[in-house]
Amino acid sequence: RKEVEQDPGPFNVPEGATVAFNCTYSNSASQSFFWYRQDCRKEPKLLMSVYSSGNEDGRFTAQLNRASQYISLLIRDSKLSDSATYLCVVNPGGGADGLTFGKGTHLIIQP
Amino acid sequence: GAVVSQHPSWVICKSGTSVKIECRSLDFQATTMFWYRQFPKQSLMLMATSNEGSKATYEQGVEKDKFLINHASLTLSTLTVTSAHPEDSSFYICSATRQGAWEAFFGQGTRLTVV
């Protein structure tokens, strides 16, 4: 079983729509969870961290379900500029451990 | 915010030559830096953990003699791809975490093409 698993997509979504995708992780002892965004041929950039209580940042909402070991990202009122690959990222041990990345979910917002 | 600078952004080299990639933390000290590799349509895969003043820790399957890592100061780590071959062509990216924090800051990445 892969450590961090995501549906690669692509998800083709009309502008203004709401889109959600999930990610599952295998290491139940994982400490920290994040969503990163990666544009084509660019470095990943932190979108938001994910907390058990759920957290919201503008149009983006992230949720963590430790019991089922999955993380979700919801994007409301999608914009053309949201087109990117969204990476589910897990820090298995916390602290200065290397991050474990999912393959990413490719999102395409269509006008 | 913290900035990590990586150079070069892209490099094309001949098979058999060596290529050095630099990763610098510009406004913070990083005792630990990480090197990742990303093949097309694949996830970022951790290659090694670079520790200032000590040997790097390599992930399983990564040849330490081929991918030389040097972390000589608190702001600089280098990755040297020795005797590069076409199958080493990939996107190499470093990251660093400020001490006591969790957010990873990434360099801009280096696209290596070996011909």
Side-chain angles (χ1 to χ4, degrees):
Chain A
R1 183 182 171 184
K2 294 178 184 172
E3 291 191 55
V4 178
E5 220 160 333
Q6 293 182 252
D7 183 340
F11 284 44
N12 290 281
V13 174
E15 191 176 7
T18 296
V19 60
F21 23 85
N22 293 334
C23 154
T24 57
Y25 61 95
S26 60
N27 185 349
S28 59
S30 296
Q31 301 284 325
S32 313
F33 310 89
F34 312 94
W35 284 102
Y36 274 74
R37 171 192 169 131
Q38 186 176 24
D39 293 293
C40 189
R41 294 175 176 260
K42 298 283 188 181
E43 76 276 21
K45 292 188 177 175
L46 179 66
L47 180 65
M48 57 198 307
S49 47
V50 188
Y51 305 119
S52 296
S53 55
N55 49 303
E56 189 174 311
D57 183 2
R59 298 181 293 108
F60 299 84
T61 301
Q63 294 261 333
L64 165 64
N65 185 317
R66 283 192 185 270
S68 301
Q69 294 180 211
Y70 80 79
I71 305 150
S72 64
L73 178 67
L74 179 81
I75 305 174
R76 288 181 298 278
D77 187 24
S78 53
K79 312 288 184 191
L80 294 176
S81 57
D82 294 333
S83 297
T85 297
Y86 291 84
L87 303 171
C88 177
V89 183
V90 175
N91 187 338
D97 291 340
L99 301 172
T100 302
F101 287 80
K103 280 192 176 183
T105 297
H106 190 197
L107 176 65
I108 301 169
I109 306 299
Q110 296 174 325
Chain B
V3 177
V4 174
S5 178
Q6 186 175 339
H7 293 282
S9 298
W10 57 271
V11 58
I12 302 173
C13 71
K14 289 185 177 179
S15 191
T17 60
S18 295
V19 174
K20 181 187 281 189
I21 303 169
E22 290 189 350
C23 180
R24 292 180 186 272
S25 56
L26 297 185
D27 61 354
F28 67 101
Q29 294 183 330
T31 53
T32 305
M33 290 185 177
F34 303 94
W35 287 97
Y36 296 85
R37 179 168 55 182
Q38 185 177 34
F39 291 107
K41 298 187 178 181
Q42 299 293 316
S43 59
L44 276 79
M45 296 298 295
L46 179 65
M47 297 176 67
T49 303
S50 172
N51 305 297
E52 187 269 334
S54 65
K55 290 182 179 179
T57 305
Y58 290 82
E59 295 299 301
Q60 194 172 10
V62 178
E63 299 173 59
K64 61 180 181 180
D65 295 328
K66 180 169 181 63
F67 299 99
L68 301 179
I69 291 173
N70 186 291
H71 194 152
S73 78
L74 285 169
T75 58
L76 173 65
S77 175
T78 61
L79 169 69
T80 302
V81 183
T82 61
S83 186
H85 289 283
E87 57 265 31
D88 298 323
S89 299
S90 188
F91 187 57
Y92 292 85
I93 191 164
C94 68
S95 79
T97 305
R98 193 194 299 268
Q99 204 163 15
W102 49 259
E103 182 179 350
F105 296 94
F106 287 86
Q108 301 93 323
T110 299
R111 191 159 301 279
L112 171 64
T113 302
V114 185
V115 298

